[in-house]
Amino acid sequence: IKVPVKIAAEQGVITTNNIKALSVETMGNKESQDVVFDIASEEKDLTIDFSTINNEDSAIENVEILGTLPTNANLGIKLTSGINITSNTASAKIYYSDKEKATKDLNDASNNWSLNGDLNTAKSYLIVIDNMPVGERFTANYTIKVPANLNYNLNASEGYTVDYTKFINSENKTSKATTLNLTTGTGA
């Protein structure tokens, strides 16, 4: 028996945000997802993978991926690697900032953007990509260390937003990845 199958994908830029070691895999559209760490557990090294896929009907340009690292709160997470680009995206430049709420404006000195960010103080990142053809997938990751013997009521979050311009009509658009809320939950 032959049955016609129609596979549909969301049009626009598709975002993913994953921690595979914890079976956390997200794809766009969902505002946030809680990732609960056990208290009194061993120290963990985790890799956070993320991707941006151009599923528009034309190439996109002026792509800016503005993200927050989970190092900005009381959970005690340390960044153990910078962002590693795992796709063949030659034009990508990665900037780091020690500001929690940095904007994507590279000309605003108060954002403290640097190509050689300090992993001990980095709280935000900005990835700038000149253009992405239709179907191109930008993938990257970074690693974090989650401390051992955590207490309740500790939280951190990480996520990103993609701003871009459609080449065909100069329309400016935004796509948001699912924010991962890293937490130990509420307790005594």
Side-chain angles (χ1 to χ4, degrees):
I1 292 178
K2 290 185 179 183
V3 178
V5 175
K6 181 177 181 180
I7 298 173
E10 179 180 325
Q11 188 170 13
V13 165
I14 299 170
T15 57
T16 67
N17 205 5
N18 308 314
I19 307 175
K20 291 179 185 166
L22 300 177
S23 299
V24 175
E25 296 189 33
T26 70
M27 184 178 292
N29 288 348
K30 190 173 178 185
E31 188 65 28
S32 66
Q33 179 170 332
D34 289 343
V35 178
V36 181
F37 295 118
D38 292 330
I39 62 167
S41 64
E42 299 292 318
E43 182 176 81
K44 291 178 186 60
D45 291 307
L46 298 173
T47 299
I48 298 177
D49 298 287
F50 59 99
S51 65
T52 298
I53 305 154
N54 178 9
N55 200 38
E56 286 284 2
D57 57 356
S58 76
I60 59 175
E61 57 189 357
N62 306 317
V63 181
E64 297 170 313
I65 303 170
L66 179 63
T68 56
L69 298 162
T71 56
N72 57 353
N74 62 6
L75 197 52
I77 292 175
K78 302 288 184 205
L79 196 60
T80 56
S81 82
I83 293 172
N84 304 300
I85 298 172
T86 56
S87 59
N88 188 18
T89 310
S91 71
K93 290 184 183 166
I94 304 169
Y95 299 87
Y96 298 92
S97 173
D98 58 359
K99 301 296 180 192
E100 209 171 306
K101 298 199 186 280
T103 69
K104 63 183 183 173
D105 186 351
L106 289 169
N107 296 316
D108 182 348
S110 69
N111 284 322
N112 286 350
W113 288 119
S114 168
L115 285 168
N116 302 312
D118 181 351
L119 295 183
N120 294 314
T121 60
K123 292 183 171 78
S124 301
Y125 63 88
L126 175 65
I127 302 170
V128 178
I129 304 169
D130 294 336
N131 58 64
M132 292 176 68
V134 173
E136 183 170 327
R137 179 183 189 120
F138 170 81
T139 58
N141 65 39
Y142 61 91
T143 56
I144 59 172
K145 186 175 291 294
V146 180
N149 302 318
L150 297 167
N151 295 313
Y152 284 115
N153 307 313
L154 301 176
N155 303 287
S157 65
E158 76 84 46
Y160 65 97
T161 301
V162 182
D163 291 319
Y164 61 96
T165 305
K166 285 182 67 172
F167 183 77
I168 199 166
N169 62 6
S170 299
E171 179 183 2
N172 294 321
K173 296 182 85 175
T174 298
S175 184
K176 186 176 181 335
T178 301
T179 298
L180 299 180
N181 295 318
L182 312 178
T183 181
T184 56
T186 305

Coordinates of all heavy atoms in Angstrom, one line a residue, residues 93-145:
K93 N 31.2 35.2 13.5 CA 32.0 35.9 14.5 C 31.3 35.8 15.8 O 30.1 36.1 15.9 CB 32.3 37.3 14.1 CG 33.2 37.5 12.9 CD 33.5 39.0 12.7 CE 34.4 39.1 11.5 NZ 34.4 40.5 11.0
I94 N 32.1 35.4 16.8 CA 31.5 35.2 18.2 C 32.1 36.3 19.1 O 33.3 36.4 19.2 CB 31.8 33.8 18.7 CG1 31.3 32.7 17.8 CG2 31.2 33.6 20.1 CD1 31.9 31.4 18.1
Y95 N 31.2 37.0 19.8 CA 31.5 38.0 20.8 C 31.0 37.6 22.1 O 30.0 36.9 22.2 CB 30.9 39.4 20.4 CG 31.4 39.9 19.1 CD1 30.7 39.6 17.9 CD2 32.4 40.8 19.0 CE1 31.1 40.1 16.7 CE2 32.8 41.3 17.7 CZ 32.2 40.9 16.6 OH 32.6 41.4 15.4
Y96 N 31.7 38.0 23.2 CA 31.3 37.7 24.6 C 31.2 39.0 25.3 O 31.9 39.9 25.1 CB 32.3 36.7 25.3 CG 32.5 35.4 24.6 CD1 33.4 35.2 23.6 CD2 31.7 34.3 24.9 CE1 33.6 34.0 23.0 CE2 31.8 33.1 24.3 CZ 32.8 32.9 23.4 OH 32.9 31.7 22.8
S97 N 30.3 39.0 26.3 CA 30.1 40.1 27.2 C 30.0 39.6 28.7 O 29.4 38.6 28.9 CB 28.9 40.9 26.8 OG 28.7 42.0 27.8
D98 N 30.4 40.5 29.6 CA 30.3 40.2 31.0 C 29.0 40.8 31.5 O 28.7 40.8 32.7 CB 31.5 40.7 31.8 CG 31.7 42.2 31.7 OD1 31.0 42.9 30.9 OD2 32.7 42.6 32.3
K99 N 28.2 41.4 30.6 CA 26.9 42.0 30.9 C 25.8 41.0 30.7 O 25.6 40.4 29.7 CB 26.6 43.3 30.1 CG 27.7 44.3 30.2 CD 27.7 44.9 31.6 CE 28.8 45.9 31.7 NZ 29.1 46.3 33.0
E100 N 24.9 40.9 31.8 CA 23.8 40.0 31.7 C 22.8 40.4 30.7 O 22.2 39.5 30.0 CB 23.1 40.0 33.1 CG 22.5 38.7 33.4 CD 22.0 38.7 34.9 OE1 22.9 38.9 35.8 OE2 20.8 38.4 35.1
K101 N 22.5 41.7 30.5 CA 21.5 42.1 29.6 C 22.1 43.0 28.5 O 21.6 44.0 28.1 CB 20.5 42.9 30.3 CG 19.7 42.1 31.4 CD 18.4 42.7 31.8 CE 17.8 42.0 33.0 NZ 17.1 40.8 32.6
A102 N 23.2 42.5 27.9 CA 23.8 43.2 26.8 C 22.9 43.2 25.6 O 22.1 42.2 25.4 CB 25.1 42.5 26.4
T103 N 22.9 44.2 24.8 CA 22.2 44.3 23.6 C 23.1 43.9 22.4 O 24.3 43.7 22.6 CB 21.6 45.7 23.3 OG1 22.7 46.6 23.0 CG2 20.9 46.2 24.5
K104 N 22.5 43.7 21.2 CA 23.3 43.3 20.1 C 24.1 44.4 19.4 O 24.8 44.2 18.5 CB 22.4 42.6 19.0 CG 21.3 43.5 18.5 CD 20.4 42.8 17.5 CE 19.5 43.8 16.9 NZ 18.7 43.2 15.9
D105 N 24.1 45.6 20.0 CA 24.8 46.8 19.5 C 26.3 46.7 19.8 O 26.7 47.0 20.9 CB 24.2 48.1 20.0 CG 24.7 49.3 19.4 OD1 25.7 49.2 18.6 OD2 24.2 50.4 19.7
L106 N 27.0 46.3 18.8 CA 28.5 46.2 19.0 C 29.2 47.6 19.2 O 30.3 47.7 19.7 CB 29.1 45.5 17.7 CG 28.8 44.0 17.6 CD1 29.3 43.5 16.3 CD2 29.5 43.3 18.7
N107 N 28.5 48.7 18.8 CA 29.1 50.0 18.9 C 28.8 50.6 20.3 O 29.4 51.7 20.6 CB 28.5 50.9 17.8 CG 29.0 50.4 16.4 OD1 30.1 50.1 16.2 ND2 28.0 50.4 15.5
D108 N 27.9 50.0 21.1 CA 27.6 50.5 22.4 C 28.7 50.0 23.4 O 28.6 48.8 23.7 CB 26.2 50.1 22.8 CG 25.8 50.6 24.2 OD1 26.6 51.2 24.9 OD2 24.6 50.5 24.5
A109 N 29.6 50.8 23.8 CA 30.7 50.4 24.7 C 30.2 49.8 26.0 O 30.9 49.0 26.6 CB 31.6 51.6 25.0
S110 N 29.0 50.2 26.5 CA 28.5 49.6 27.7 C 28.2 48.1 27.6 O 28.0 47.5 28.7 CB 27.3 50.4 28.2 OG 26.2 50.2 27.4
N111 N 28.1 47.6 26.4 CA 27.8 46.2 26.3 C 29.1 45.3 26.5 O 29.0 44.1 26.8 CB 27.3 45.9 24.9 CG 25.9 46.2 24.7 OD1 25.1 46.1 25.6 ND2 25.5 46.8 23.5
N112 N 30.3 45.9 26.5 CA 31.5 45.2 26.7 C 31.8 44.0 25.8 O 32.3 43.0 26.2 CB 31.7 44.8 28.2 CG 32.0 45.9 29.1 OD1 32.3 47.0 28.7 ND2 31.8 45.7 30.4
W113 N 31.4 44.1 24.5 CA 31.6 43.0 23.6 C 33.0 42.8 23.3 O 33.8 43.8 23.1 CB 30.8 43.2 22.3 CG 29.3 43.1 22.5 CD1 28.4 44.0 22.2 CD2 28.6 41.9 22.9 NE1 27.1 43.5 22.4 CE2 27.2 42.2 22.9 CE3 29.0 40.6 23.3 CZ2 26.3 41.3 23.2 CZ3 28.0 39.7 23.6 CH2 26.7 40.0 23.6
S114 N 33.5 41.6 23.3 CA 34.9 41.2 23.0 C 35.0 39.9 22.2 O 34.2 39.0 22.5 CB 35.7 41.1 24.3 OG 37.0 40.6 24.0
L115 N 35.8 39.8 21.2 CA 36.0 38.6 20.5 C 36.8 37.6 21.4 O 36.7 36.4 21.1 CB 36.8 38.8 19.2 CG 36.0 39.5 18.1 CD1 36.9 40.0 17.0 CD2 35.0 38.5 17.5
N116 N 37.5 38.0 22.4 CA 38.2 37.2 23.3 C 37.7 37.3 24.7 O 38.4 37.7 25.6 CB 39.7 37.6 23.2 CG 40.3 37.5 21.8 OD1 40.1 36.5 21.2 ND2 41.0 38.6 21.4
G117 N 36.5 36.8 24.8 CA 35.8 36.9 26.1 C 36.5 36.1 27.2 O 37.1 35.1 26.9
D118 N 36.3 36.5 28.4 CA 36.8 35.8 29.6 C 35.8 34.8 30.0 O 34.7 35.1 30.4 CB 37.1 36.8 30.7 CG 37.7 36.1 32.0 OD1 37.7 34.9 32.1 OD2 38.1 36.9 32.9
L119 N 36.1 33.5 30.0 CA 35.1 32.4 30.3 C 34.7 32.5 31.8 O 33.6 32.1 32.1 CB 35.7 31.0 30.1 CG 36.0 30.7 28.6 CD1 36.5 29.2 28.6 CD2 34.8 30.9 27.7
N120 N 35.5 33.1 32.6 CA 35.2 33.3 34.1 C 34.1 34.3 34.3 O 33.5 34.3 35.4 CB 36.4 33.6 34.9 CG 37.4 32.4 34.9 OD1 37.0 31.3 35.0 ND2 38.6 32.7 34.6
T121 N 33.9 35.3 33.4 CA 33.0 36.4 33.6 C 31.9 36.5 32.5 O 31.0 37.3 32.7 CB 33.7 37.7 33.7 OG1 34.4 38.0 32.5 CG2 34.7 37.7 34.9
A122 N 32.0 35.7 31.5 CA 31.1 35.8 30.3 C 29.6 35.5 30.8 O 29.4 34.5 31.5 CB 31.5 34.9 29.2
K123 N 28.7 36.3 30.4 CA 27.3 36.1 30.7 C 26.4 36.1 29.5 O 25.3 35.6 29.5 CB 26.8 37.2 31.7 CG 27.5 37.1 33.1 CD 26.9 38.2 34.0 CE 27.4 38.0 35.4 NZ 28.7 38.4 35.7
S124 N 26.9 36.7 28.4 CA 26.1 36.8 27.2 C 27.1 36.6 26.0 O 28.3 36.7 26.1 CB 25.6 38.2 27.0 OG 24.7 38.6 28.1
Y125 N 26.4 36.2 24.9 CA 27.2 36.1 23.6 C 26.4 36.6 22.5 O 25.2 36.8 22.5 CB 27.6 34.6 23.4 CG 26.4 33.7 23.2 CD1 25.8 33.5 21.9 CD2 25.9 33.0 24.2 CE1 24.7 32.6 21.7 CE2 24.8 32.1 24.1 CZ 24.2 31.9 22.8 OH 23.2 31.1 22.6
L126 N 27.1 37.0 21.4 CA 26.5 37.5 20.2 C 27.3 36.8 19.0 O 28.5 36.9 19.0 CB 26.7 39.0 20.1 CG 26.2 39.7 18.8 CD1 24.7 39.5 18.6 CD2 26.5 41.1 18.8
I127 N 26.6 36.1 18.2 CA 27.2 35.5 17.0 C 26.6 36.3 15.8 O 25.4 36.4 15.6 CB 26.8 34.0 16.9 CG1 27.3 33.3 18.2 CG2 27.4 33.4 15.7 CD1 26.8 31.9 18.3
V128 N 27.5 36.8 15.0 CA 27.1 37.5 13.8 C 27.5 36.7 12.5 O 28.7 36.3 12.4 CB 27.8 38.9 13.8 CG1 27.5 39.7 12.5 CG2 27.5 39.7 15.0
I129 N 26.5 36.5 11.7 CA 26.7 35.7 10.4 C 26.3 36.6 9.3 O 25.1 37.1 9.3 CB 25.9 34.4 10.5 CG1 26.3 33.6 11.7 CG2 26.1 33.6 9.2 CD1 25.3 32.4 11.9
D130 N 27.1 36.8 8.3 CA 26.8 37.7 7.2 C 25.5 37.2 6.4 O 24.6 38.0 6.2 CB 28.0 37.7 6.2 CG 29.2 38.4 6.8 OD1 29.0 39.2 7.7 OD2 30.3 38.1 6.3
N131 N 25.5 35.9 6.0 CA 24.3 35.5 5.3 C 24.2 33.9 5.5 O 25.2 33.3 5.7 CB 24.3 35.9 3.9 CG 25.6 35.4 3.2 OD1 25.8 34.2 3.0 ND2 26.4 36.3 2.7
M132 N 23.0 33.4 5.3 CA 22.7 32.0 5.3 C 21.8 31.7 4.1 O 20.7 32.2 4.0 CB 22.0 31.6 6.6 CG 22.9 31.7 7.8 SD 22.0 31.3 9.4 CE 21.7 29.6 9.2
P133 N 22.2 30.8 3.2 CA 21.4 30.4 2.1 C 20.2 29.6 2.6 O 20.2 29.1 3.8 CB 22.3 29.5 1.3 CG 23.7 29.7 1.7 CD 23.6 30.2 3.1
V134 N 19.2 29.4 1.8 CA 18.0 28.6 2.2 C 18.5 27.2 2.5 O 19.3 26.6 1.9 CB 17.0 28.5 1.0 CG1 15.9 27.5 1.3 CG2 16.4 29.9 0.7
G135 N 18.0 26.7 3.7 CA 18.4 25.3 4.1 C 19.6 25.2 4.9 O 19.9 24.2 5.5
E136 N 20.4 26.3 5.0 CA 21.7 26.2 5.8 C 21.4 26.1 7.3 O 20.4 26.7 7.8 CB 22.6 27.5 5.5 CG 23.9 27.3 6.3 CD 24.9 28.4 5.9 OE1 24.9 28.8 4.8 OE2 25.7 28.8 6.8
R137 N 22.2 25.3 7.9 CA 22.1 25.1 9.3 C 23.3 25.5 10.0 O 24.4 25.0 9.7 CB 21.8 23.6 9.6 CG 21.7 23.2 11.0 CD 21.5 21.7 11.1 NE 21.2 21.4 12.5 CZ 20.1 20.7 12.9 NH1 19.2 20.4 12.0 NH2 19.9 20.5 14.2
F138 N 23.2 26.4 11.0 CA 24.3 26.9 11.8 C 24.2 26.1 13.1 O 23.2 26.1 13.8 CB 24.3 28.4 12.1 CG 25.2 28.8 13.2 CD1 26.6 29.0 12.8 CD2 24.8 28.9 14.5 CE1 27.5 29.4 13.8 CE2 25.7 29.3 15.5 CZ 27.0 29.6 15.1
T139 N 25.3 25.4 13.5 CA 25.3 24.6 14.7 C 26.5 25.0 15.6 O 27.6 25.2 15.0 CB 25.3 23.1 14.5 OG1 26.4 22.7 13.7 CG2 24.0 22.7 13.8
A140 N 26.3 25.0 16.9 CA 27.4 25.3 17.8 C 27.1 24.6 19.1 O 26.0 24.2 19.4 CB 27.5 26.8 17.9
N141 N 28.1 24.7 20.0 CA 27.9 24.2 21.4 C 28.9 24.8 22.3 O 29.8 25.5 21.9 CB 28.0 22.6 21.4 CG 29.4 22.1 21.1 OD1 30.4 22.7 21.5 ND2 29.4 21.0 20.4
Y142 N 28.6 24.7 23.6 CA 29.6 25.0 24.6 C 29.4 24.1 25.8 O 28.4 23.4 25.9 CB 29.4 26.5 25.0 CG 28.1 26.9 25.6 CD1 27.8 26.9 27.0 CD2 27.1 27.4 24.8 CE1 26.6 27.2 27.5 CE2 25.8 27.7 25.3 CZ 25.6 27.7 26.6 OH 24.4 28.0 27.1
T143 N 30.4 24.1 26.7 CA 30.3 23.2 27.8 C 30.3 23.9 29.1 O 30.9 25.0 29.3 CB 31.4 22.1 27.9 OG1 32.7 22.8 27.9 CG2 31.4 21.2 26.7
I144 N 29.5 23.4 30.1 CA 29.4 24.0 31.4 C 29.7 22.9 32.5 O 29.6 21.7 32.2 CB 28.0 24.5 31.7 CG1 26.9 23.4 31.5 CG2 27.7 25.7 30.7 CD1 25.5 23.9 31.9
K145 N 30.1 23.4 33.7 CA 30.3 22.5 34.8 C 29.2 22.9 35.9 O 29.2 24.0 36.3 CB 31.7 22.6 35.4 CG 32.0 21.6 36.5 CD 33.4 21.7 37.0 CE 34.4 21.2 36.0 NZ 34.4 19.8 35.6

